[in-house]
Amino acid sequence: MLGIERRQRIVDKIKQDKKVYVSELSQLFKVTEETVRRDLEKLEGENILRRSYGGAILSEQTGEDLSFLKRSTINSAGKEYIADKAQSLINDGDTIMVDSSTTCLSLLHRLKGRQNITIITNSIRLAYDFSASNFRIISTGGTLRSNSMALTGAGAIKALMGYYADVVLISCKGLDRAHGVTESNEEESAVKQVMLQQSRKALLLADSSKFDKTAFVKTCELRDIDTIVTDKEPADNWGDNLAQQQVKLVY
């Protein structure tokens, strides 16, 4: 196993378990504890985790605004599972508003064979990755947030207000029964709010680590979402709570 593959699996494990142990990882990957410590040191330098005695814990803050590159390394298996589950919710001929999330990007890769799909997005990464696809792509324009490769601000919002979509695909940083759907920065949250307003149906793609979390700024209420697609059943009667708000849960 290559070092980059091993570190990716460490990221996935610590995202799920919130902590990891050097001895356990050494046995899991059949490498020396010194190799594991070097892996943890590298991941700590990327602010993914904080090393502690005998292991490491997840580095996670309410207002943490992760870069696109860093987000793309977190829980990649969960994102692929969500993309597989969500693809049946998109139909040929749909016009789709899509945010700059890595989970939504994973879903679009599964839709490349669909017919007459129009994508309206504020993601420059998405526009680049699918420039040679059969999708009709409309970019919002706006002010670039290089950290997330997202276009935001008045220009992006004005462009979105000129369109109506069948479906909006968004992700989030936190899901809480009291505080709703939350995001790490105001600019991208504002763009998502307009996308929700301009779309007939709202799909939220969020891995299980987002549940019972509250990030910096509120994007919408849970009841504003039609369907939440996640990678495994959330705990503590989340399903019943969402059903009461007429939100479908897919996992």
Side-chain angles (χ1 to χ4, degrees):
M1 180 183 295
L2 297 175
I4 191 170
E5 295 173 323
R6 188 174 59 250
R7 287 189 290 274
Q8 175 61 65
R9 290 184 60 183
I10 292 173
V11 169
D12 289 345
K13 184 172 178 58
I14 199 170
K15 189 69 176 179
Q16 178 178 329
D17 299 338
K18 311 304 179 188
K19 59 184 177 181
V20 292
Y21 298 97
V22 170
S23 58
E24 179 183 299
L25 294 176
S26 174
Q27 293 177 17
L28 178 63
F29 300 123
K30 295 180 172 53
V31 296
T32 66
E33 291 190 0
E34 184 58 35
T35 297
V36 172
R37 291 190 186 95
R38 286 197 297 268
D39 286 338
L40 297 180
E41 182 178 9
K42 184 175 181 60
L43 293 171
E44 185 178 50
E46 297 172 5
N47 199 31
I48 293 172
L49 54 77
R50 295 202 320 271
R51 285 183 296 167
S52 60
Y53 183 77
I57 60 173
L58 182 67
S59 176
E60 190 169 39
Q61 299 173 349
T62 298
E64 188 176 15
D65 188 17
L66 303 179
S67 69
F68 184 94
L69 182 61
K70 183 175 177 181
R71 283 186 285 126
S72 67
T73 68
I74 296 175
N75 196 16
S76 56
K79 291 173 185 176
E80 295 300 317
Y81 180 87
I82 290 169
D84 281 335
K85 285 289 184 181
Q87 61 180 316
S88 64
L89 303 175
I90 305 298
N91 301 310
D92 288 350
D94 276 348
T95 295
I96 312 169
M97 288 188 175
V98 187
D99 72 7
S100 60
S101 71
T102 56
T103 310
C104 291
L105 188 67
S106 294
L107 171 56
L108 291 185
H109 280 289
R110 285 161 172 74
L111 302 179
K112 287 190 289 188
R114 301 294 178 87
Q115 301 299 312
N116 302 317
I117 296 289
T118 297
I119 304 294
I120 304 167
T121 185
N122 70 321
S123 168
I124 63 169
R125 176 62 184 268
L126 186 157
Y128 176 81
D129 281 3
F130 294 97
S131 59
S133 73
N134 291 326
F135 296 151
R136 180 188 180 211
I137 297 179
I138 300 171
S139 179
T140 62
T143 303
L144 176 63
R145 296 189 75 251
S146 57
N147 190 48
S148 59
M149 299 188 187
L151 298 165
T152 62
I157 288 172
K158 182 178 179 181
L160 289 167
M161 291 293 290
Y163 297 100
Y164 295 96
D166 299 297
V167 183
V168 58
L169 299 177
I170 63 170
S171 189
C172 66
K173 296 300 186 298
L175 279 170
D176 183 83
R177 276 167 279 201
H179 301 112
V181 181
T182 51
E183 189 52 65
S184 61
N185 68 86
E186 293 172 296
E187 294 91 345
E188 293 188 52
S189 181
V191 167
K192 294 181 187 192
Q193 288 169 356
V194 177
M195 287 182 168
L196 288 162
Q197 174 186 313
Q198 299 298 108
S199 300
R200 182 174 55 85
K201 183 171 65 174
L203 302 184
L204 176 66
L205 311 183
D207 69 69
S208 53
S209 70
K210 306 293 177 60
F211 286 80
D212 296 309
K213 298 285 179 61
T214 302
F216 179 59
V217 59
K218 185 170 186 171
T219 298
C220 66
E221 301 287 353
L222 290 171
R223 63 177 175 268
D224 296 323
I225 303 298
D226 293 287
T227 303
I228 297 174
V229 186
T230 188
D231 54 337
K232 62 182 179 181
E233 183 178 11
D236 301 326
N237 299 316
W238 259 97
D240 292 340
N241 182 272
L242 292 172
Q244 290 171 10
Q245 301 186 66
Q246 297 184 315
V247 180
K248 184 178 180 181
L249 180 64
V250 176
Y251 55 88

